Amino acid sequence: MIKINGNYLKLQASYLFSEIAGRVAAFQKANPEKEMIKLGIGDVTRSLPGACISAFHSAVDEMATDEAFRGYGPEQGYPFLRDKIAEIDFKSRGAEVSSDEIFISDGAKCDTGNFQEIFSTDTKIAIPDPVYPVYLDTNVMAGRTGIFNNGRYENIIYLDSTMENGFLPDLPEQPADLIYLCFPNNPTGVVANKAVLKSWVDYARENRSIILFDAAYEAFITDDNIPHSIYEIEGAREVAVEFRSFSKSAGFTGTRCAFTVVPKDCMAYDTGGNSHSLHALWNRRHSTKFNGVSYPVQRAAEAVYSEEGSRQAKDLVDFYMKNAAIIKEEISNLGYKCAGGDHSPYIWIWGEMDSWDFFDLLLNRAGVVCTPGAGFGACGKGFIRISAFNSLENVKNAMSRIKTTLMK
Ligand code: MLT
């Protein structure tokens, strides 16, 4: 008799964004005349930068000739892309990262979800609350948690991010082996300055822990004093793995391209206390389970680093950030407390009612889809998240509908 991995039975019914999509589809079916505005999942709405499209087309043309055709590429990604990333994303900001420490992949979701595989089952995990659900769910699947009890999984160190601490959690009181951090944060939209990141790096060095640092939203930082990479912090190369994505910074959600940085200085330990290179272990895992991102997609991603491509990608980010400013202003004018939106496409709003009730209210009365904060964890209860990824017209329209619905 085939048996399932019982840890899957500990998972909550469905993945947050699938649950929302299901509720929206049901509502749309019952109300086909209602025009919905989706400010829920952070999915981009504008086309790829022109420079990326040209590079994409040329690479597809290359695949049409026997001379230029490419079969399997290097699992870790083509040097033409890894070199640009190392130079432009890291070295130019004073962060020491070499090309061969970069692993190109098809998404930060997959990488943040998969990375935990190389650590032991008894690894003590620290996870922010609220949090991007992938970090938690993948550890549940791997058997690192107990059951879900009173809104939380047993055996997890939750890092509470609340209004009181400015959504910047304190260092854990007990030793944590693996720490997930995300800045600019999803879902709260807050950023961490150098001092905050340094305290985490120091903690990890003292405890021989590893930080999994999700920087998928770094392109939205508008203040140059805020670090874009954890490697801008001294010592981080020994204790941090960083995840980046072209999804939100250059509109690649449907095209799929991201990368993970695993510095060669990062070590993890076997039961005898001997150190092993995380880079070597991840390389082993990556080359066993992944065959690389397609050549045309990597050429399209490379174009983000051209003069024209970087200007076009920045225009996209600026466009969404103008939407974020409108949302933040309108919501604040309605008398609601909110965070985020200054260095992030997400606005985190204290809704003064149950998150799912607020979600239903906006769905049913305003025809606007948001994300209920409770879906990101117990500390998200009472909040909703509104995303700035949509057209200006839709954002303005959504705000006017929300105003009519919520006017105090
Ligand atoms: C979100 O809305 O939190 C993100 O779009 C989800 C993701 O990137 O997978």
Side-chain angles (χ1 to χ4, degrees):
M1 183 173 62
I2 182 77
K3 297 233 176 73
I4 51 163
N5 170 356
N7 295 310
Y8 275 64
L9 301 180
K10 296 179 193 161
L11 288 166
Q12 295 308 285
S14 63
Y15 179 61
L16 173 63
F17 294 105
S18 316
E19 166 76 26
I20 293 170
R23 288 195 186 209
V24 173
F27 178 81
Q28 192 77 89
K29 198 167 170 208
N31 303 275
E33 73 296 341
K34 274 234 167 150
E35 204 193 309
M36 310 292 302
I37 303 177
K38 294 185 180 166
L39 303 178
I41 190 167
D43 193 5
V44 294
T45 54
R46 297 196 61 187
S47 59
L48 289 172
C52 299
I53 288 293
S54 304
F56 211 167
H57 275 298
S58 316
V60 170
D61 287 343
E62 283 183 59
M63 299 298 260
T65 68
D66 288 347
E67 295 67 40
F69 170 81
R70 311 221 182 186
Y72 293 127
E75 292 99 345
Q76 300 80 358
Y78 283 102
F80 61 74
L81 178 56
R82 299 169 89 196
D83 290 350
K84 298 244 166 43
I85 292 170
E87 204 51 52
I88 298 170
D89 281 334
F90 295 101
K91 288 194 183 128
S92 74
R93 292 195 60 85
E96 203 40 57
V97 167
S98 65
S99 172
D100 61 356
E101 294 175 320
I102 294 163
F103 294 81
I104 308 296
S105 78
D106 59 350
K109 177 179 184 174
C110 323
D111 286 355
T112 53
N114 289 330
F115 209 88
Q116 47 76 28
E117 270 185 30
I118 61 181
F119 300 109
S120 69
T121 315
D122 62 358
T123 296
K124 195 80 190 155
I125 309 285
I127 289 189
D129 181 353
V131 76
Y132 179 45
V134 172
Y135 315 155
L136 186 56
D137 285 0
T138 50
N139 276 292
V140 176
M141 292 169 177
R144 287 197 191 88
T145 72
I147 55 164
F148 193 72
N149 194 0
N150 271 332
R152 284 188 155 178
Y153 287 99
E154 291 170 351
N155 204 29
I156 287 278
I157 303 171
Y158 284 96
L159 305 170
D160 290 357
S161 313
T162 60
M163 202 116 71
E164 289 68 39
N165 63 21
F167 305 103
L168 292 170
D170 294 334
L171 299 172
E173 276 159 22
Q174 43 185 312
D177 304 317
L178 188 64
I179 301 154
Y180 288 80
L181 295 178
C182 171
F183 291 111
N185 188 261
N186 179 15
T188 66
V190 303
V191 282
N193 63 23
K194 280 202 167 145
V196 169
L197 290 185
K198 183 171 182 316
S199 68
W200 284 103
V201 168
D202 291 348
Y203 173 93
R205 290 173 85 188
E206 271 157 35
N207 290 281
R208 296 208 278 181
S209 339
I210 288 291
I211 298 171
L212 297 185
F213 188 75
D214 186 349
Y217 297 93
E218 59 75 35
F220 294 84
I221 293 173
T222 52
D223 173 348
D224 216 39
N225 293 317
I226 307 282
H228 285 237
S229 166
I230 195 152
Y231 306 119
E232 291 174 48
I233 309 301
E234 203 193 323
R237 280 184 55 85
E238 292 164 29
V239 290
V241 169
E242 183 165 307
F243 304 92
R244 294 271 188 112
S245 171
F246 294 96
S247 283
K248 321 286 160 114
S249 60
F252 274 58
T253 54
T255 309
R256 311 305 306 148
C257 198
F259 59 92
T260 290
V261 182
V262 191
K264 292 189 180 149
D265 304 356
C266 271
M267 296 292 155
Y269 303 86
D270 63 26
T271 43
N274 307 302
S275 62
H276 297 267
S277 153
L278 271 195
H279 182 277
L281 290 169
W282 183 246
N283 190 44
R284 184 72 175 84
R285 191 264 172 213
H286 195 76
S287 47
T288 304
K289 293 198 176 184
F290 190 63
N291 245 344
V293 172
S294 85
Y295 172 69
V297 169
Q298 291 193 59
R299 279 292 184 202
E302 180 197 19
V304 172
Y305 297 96
S306 65
E307 211 183 305
E308 195 190 6
S310 64
R311 202 180 49 245
Q312 292 166 344
K314 185 177 179 310
D315 286 349
L316 277 183
V317 167
D318 290 349
F319 173 86
Y320 293 124
M321 286 306 283
K322 283 195 190 115
N323 287 348
I326 293 172
I327 297 168
K328 190 163 188 176
E329 192 186 344
E330 295 286 355
I331 293 290
S332 306
N333 288 346
L334 284 169
Y336 288 87
K337 289 195 186 110
C338 55
D342 299 327
H343 307 286
S344 148
Y346 299 130
I347 295 90
W348 185 240
I349 301 158
W350 173 238
E352 300 168 18
M353 67 171 93
D354 176 83
S355 304
W356 282 102
D357 288 348
F358 205 155
F359 169 86
D360 285 335
L361 177 76
L362 293 189
L363 181 66
N364 297 329
R365 300 255 305 274
V368 173
V369 182
C370 68
T371 307
F376 295 103
C379 290
K381 282 185 185 156
F383 288 89
I384 57 159
R385 191 195 74 177
I386 294 190
S387 139
F389 292 115
N390 213 313
S391 66
L392 175 62
E393 190 191 353
N394 278 347
V395 164
K396 284 187 171 162
N397 219 335
M399 287 304 115
S400 117
R401 292 190 201 176
I402 289 178
K403 211 159 145 179
T404 313
T405 307
L406 299 181
M407 198 74 97
K408 289 185 174 178

